[in-house]
Amino acid sequence: MAVTLKTVVLDSEKCIGCITCMRRCPTEAIRIVNGKAKILYEKCINCGECVRSCKGGAKRPVYDSFDLVKSYPYKIALPSPSLFGQFNNLDDPNYVIEGLLALGFDDVFEVGLAAELVTDCTKKLMRKNTLERPVISSACPAIAELIFLRYHELKDHLLNLYAPAKIAAKLAKKQAIEQGVPADDIGIFFISPCPAKVYSLHREEVSNEKYISGVLSQSDVYFRLVEKMNKIKNPRKLLRCGYSGLGWGSSGGESNSLGLGNYIHCSGARNVQGILAEMSDGKLDGADFVELNMCPGGCVGGVLNVENPFIARNRMRQLAEKLKIPPATMEQFGLDESFFLWDKAPEPSTSFQLDTDRFAAMQKLMKVEEYLKKLPGIDCGACGAPTCRTHAEDVVKSGGVLDCVKLREVK
Amino acid sequence: MDCIRLEYDVDGENFASAGNASESVKRTLKQLGIPPASVRRVAIAMYEGEINMVIHAHGGKAVAEIYPDRIDITLKDTGPGIADIGLAMKAGWSTASENIRSLGFGAGMGLPNMKKYSDEMDIDSVVGVGTTVFLRIRF
């Protein structure tokens, strides 16, 4: 497996050093250094906002090559719910499943089906009342990363369950082994709508038992798939997930399937940060569930999709409304909670801190405040940092000197 | 070690910006690596204080002084003052108007919550002159 812990890389030739991605980055993880946009990976949450905003296509999401699929004798595809919203005039989701089989996959395990099981497990845990309310969904890996980077005070609210893609991989592997396929022959490929899921699945695989063999890009698979789907007539009834599972592909789908009254769902980088801030001020204490998605509209808004997120959402809703399949349950699959629970909670990151030593951090902060009095506060970005404050913090951390066009003008 | 002193003007006309001072303090504490549970207490107590100044006193000044072991927050306004502090401290007591309540504020939990989440609290208020609230939260 091509293990990579970078999900977005820069095509230096295409980068013209404009400040668009730097401004849009929700965690201030980009600087312009020597005229090129540099990602500070320790602050990056892999949300893909820089890919979305780059005008020149210089930000490249990293994912596994489709050729990797061929190297496994028994191949399983894990399509995400959002994939079903990408096709024009699709009136039956079974075409997608047949298309994946025609592409060379031996089996398909829908992530939407795993999502229904995650919903069932969430309901059980919420009934037990052992979770901190409001419970924050952990399905969007960029949100989980953001909380572990900047909102440590909310980390105990995160639902401690693996995301549906991982659960789908675990179940697909279990099923194949039960059918007698040798474990080494099994190749499991998630078809991802976003770089965050590419990153989180690869990272989990590094530290835990291996389930995922590769993570493919939804847009890469799309064109190969459409070609196959066009040749299919009268697809078999293979789809196993229903309304609830397909709904997970857009914002609100997960909350809706939980059947709760008091919940919030919200998407888009700025909006979710607003909700997280309100939560830490104690303003959402009455709510039961908070579903946050970094991409606008939910997973359909991920940068590895082909279709406009709102058009895709409309299509998915129409497809889902026709499905008469009841949501899957843990009992049906003979599973208990331990199948879903995190093996261990991720460690919070300290990269937002000025220093891991409190006294040293205070000294640095005083210096930052001193520099801020000198800087113009216009956040022009000309120094290569997104705001005057981040520039001051960078200088204090690196021990350099302030580099500001406005200050030079004054001289 | 000296303290880090942060000063904010709290705009009394703008509900949308209420919470900006506590948001900035929260960010600062996180950058210092203050434990999450303490950050949360500061956030809630200071936010309540800020909202109080917006609802009752047309804004005022907020000053946060951060020491290695604690934060001292002073919220000073020139509003109507509190006639009966004992009554104002009672959970559920509020003088907020219907308009304010319709926005989801004025539940009478402001001062009680500030007391609950801080280690020390002091209110100095003169009717017609203004109110100063002091909060101390240890990390």
Side-chain angles (χ1 to χ4, degrees), chain B residues 72-133:
Chain B
D72 290 347
I73 300 164
T74 309
L75 305 154
K76 194 175 169 63
D77 68 58
T78 51
I82 305 168
D84 185 337
I85 293 176
L87 202 53
M89 288 300 297
K90 267 175 73 176
W93 169 263
S94 177
T95 57
S97 67
E98 265 316 306
N99 284 346
I100 297 289
R101 285 169 193 256
S102 70
L103 287 168
F105 299 106
M109 292 310 294
L111 289 174
N113 266 341
M114 285 156 75
K115 178 142 188 87
K116 181 178 163 191
Y117 290 104
S118 59
D119 292 301
E120 286 175 39
M121 176 170 164
D122 197 33
I123 305 174
D124 187 10
S125 188
V126 178
V127 173
V129 178
T131 302
T132 301
V133 177

Side-chain angles (χ1 to χ4, degrees), chain A residues 58 87 97 163 254 386:
Chain A
F87 309 93
I97 313 278
E254 182 186 6

Side-chain angles (χ1 to χ4, degrees), chain B residues 38-54:
Chain B
S38 305
V39 173
R40 189 125 199 221
R41 290 167 62 214
V42 174
I44 298 175
M46 187 165 175
Y47 175 77
E48 294 283 4
E50 230 182 307
I51 280 290
N52 270 353
M53 288 203 286
V54 176

Side-chain angles (χ1 to χ4, degrees), chain A residues 176-193:
Chain A
I177 288 172
E178 280 165 8
Q179 285 164 13
V181 183
D184 289 345
D185 285 0
I186 305 170
I188 300 178
F189 293 87
F190 174 58
I191 305 167
S192 182

Side-chain angles (χ1 to χ4, degrees), chain A residues 150 280 283 354 358 393, chain B residues 26 28 30-31 40 47 68:
Chain A
R150 281 204 177 181
S280 67
K283 283 171 73 187
L354 290 169
R358 192 185 296 172
E393 289 169 4
Chain B
K26 210 159 49 173
T28 304
K30 289 179 189 181
Q31 286 191 306
R40 189 125 199 221
Y47 175 77

